[in-house]
Amino acid sequence: HGNARIISIFNQKGGVGKTTTTINLGAALAELGRRVLLVDFDPQGGLSLGLGVNAHSLPLENTVYHALMDPSADIQQIVLKSSVAGLDFLPASRDLGAAESKLPSEIGGQQFLKRALSTLKDDYDIILIDCQPTMGQLTVNALVASHEVIVPLQCEYFALEGLGKLLNTIKSIQKIHNPELDIEGLLLTMYDSRLRLSNQVVEEVQKHFNDMVFETIIQRNVKLSEAPSFGESIINYDATSKGATNYLHLAQEIIKKNSK
Ligand code: ADP
Ligand code: MG
């Protein structure tokens, strides 16, 4: 125990399943006995909302922005418990967006999230960071703080669009800030076996990226889109759904991968 592995969930495209993956992979890992912290690192606050907290109405001091920008912040005070045992999170509100313009003028600004999380590392086995869909200062902070990146790819037209740029960004972060940074895997999401296109995307991605692609494929499942409006993970909302099965499978794959 202790010394959490930190994983960013990132793709600069919106709507590909980043937030859904962060919440439900986190809940699945907690279900398997891991102590998990989720970081809402998107000013839209979608992860917080999906766990039942409207962070936009929280005082600024109780959001991840404070932990990020103020080295003297007591981050333990900002952590919230979710309704899943072993699953905690740091909420984000719109104010986090202000960090984009403030970070560049701060010395060591790219390391701020890393510094903030270092005080929590012994309390968790895994920390998942839900990134916003842009390659700005916040995302750089997330990648600098991380050991690995999971890249969700929607089984849709242009799934691979922007992926080359993303891989280059990861390379330059490796070079400048974080040589340890690694791609944990590409995760195919919203797969619909009835659609030819969905199958074509899976084939194409597997052909080009082979063992970089997770074996687990997340199917399209309406329960996954319903759960957040109840402030619940899929594990609580419907443990027997395809969505719950898929994310538990992914959690097992990740645990196995990292015990090697
Ligand atoms: P991102 O964080 O990348 O913008 P989200 O996780 O918010 O993407 O997902 C975008 C939308 O798609 C949301 O409405 C979400 O509920 C829905 N969604 C995500 N994954 C699935 C899935 N496997 N099946 C059905 N709906 C999904
Ligand atoms: Mg999101």
Side-chain angles (χ1 to χ4, degrees):
H1 273 324
N3 229 356
R5 288 189 40 245
I6 306 181
I7 306 176
S8 279
I9 319 294
F10 177 62
N11 184 330
Q12 70 268 51
K13 275 200 208 177
V16 297
K18 289 183 293 296
T19 301
T20 305
T21 296
T22 311
I23 291 177
N24 295 304
L25 172 60
L29 287 164
E31 177 78 12
L32 297 175
R34 301 307 187 272
R35 298 167 307 163
V36 183
L37 176 74
L38 307 182
V39 181
D40 193 346
F41 219 45
D42 183 342
Q44 298 222 337
L47 179 132
S48 309
L49 213 52
L51 291 171
V53 171
N54 181 355
H56 303 305
S57 56
L58 288 176
L60 190 57
E61 295 69 40
N62 292 92
T63 69
V64 69
Y65 177 82
H66 184 55
L68 183 71
M69 300 305 289
D70 188 346
S72 67
D74 181 357
I75 193 164
Q76 251 103 9
Q77 294 286 335
I78 304 171
V79 172
L80 296 176
K81 294 215 172 306
S82 78
S83 57
V84 177
L87 183 69
D88 298 346
F89 66 105
L90 286 168
S93 66
R94 273 175 215 103
D95 301 302
L96 180 60
E100 287 287 353
S101 58
K102 290 193 176 158
L103 283 168
S105 58
E106 299 276 347
I107 293 166
Q110 283 133 333
Q111 319 271 346
F112 278 14
L113 183 62
K114 185 180 177 144
R115 176 204 63 208
L117 294 180
S118 67
T119 58
L120 288 173
K121 272 175 101 172
D122 290 337
D123 300 335
Y124 297 96
D125 300 307
I126 298 185
I127 300 176
L128 302 178
I129 307 171
D130 184 25
C131 295
Q132 65 173 344
T134 55
M135 197 55 238
Q137 293 293 315
L138 288 173
T139 300
V140 169
N141 255 270
L143 295 176
V144 167
S146 294
H147 300 103
E148 276 110 21
V149 193
I150 292 175
V151 182
L153 297 174
Q154 189 181 353
C155 296
E156 251 303 331
Y157 280 116
F158 309 122
L160 296 176
E161 189 192 42
L163 191 60
K165 192 171 169 231
L166 190 159
L167 298 177
N168 282 335
T169 301
I170 290 174
K171 270 190 211 137
S172 64
I173 299 229
Q174 284 167 334
K175 217 184 278 172
I176 303 168
H177 299 289
N178 182 6
E180 273 181 79
L181 182 66
D182 202 1
I183 296 181
E184 174 86 8
L186 308 178
L187 177 67
L188 291 157
T189 65
M190 295 184 239
Y191 171 71
D192 186 340
S193 62
R194 295 165 305 178
L195 300 180
R196 217 168 107 209
L197 174 66
S198 228
N199 287 300
Q200 283 169 346
V201 171
V202 169
E203 251 175 58
E204 194 188 328
V205 171
Q206 287 176 339
K207 194 174 90 193
H208 280 90
F209 295 98
N210 323 292
D211 55 4
M212 267 177 80
V213 188
F214 284 109
E215 265 169 45
T216 307
I217 297 176
I218 308 298
Q219 291 164 276
R220 190 172 277 286
N221 178 211
V222 70
K223 303 271 181 174
L224 282 170
S225 56
E226 289 169 3
S229 56
F230 296 90
E232 283 181 353
S233 82
I234 194 67
I235 313 282
N236 293 38
Y237 181 64
D238 187 346
T240 63
S241 63
K242 266 190 304 188
T245 310
N246 288 168
Y247 277 108
L248 277 166
H249 203 265
L250 178 64
Q252 275 156 347
E253 191 178 344
I254 286 171
I255 287 170
K256 209 165 114 192
K257 225 177 181 171
N258 290 289
S259 60
K260 276 181 196 157

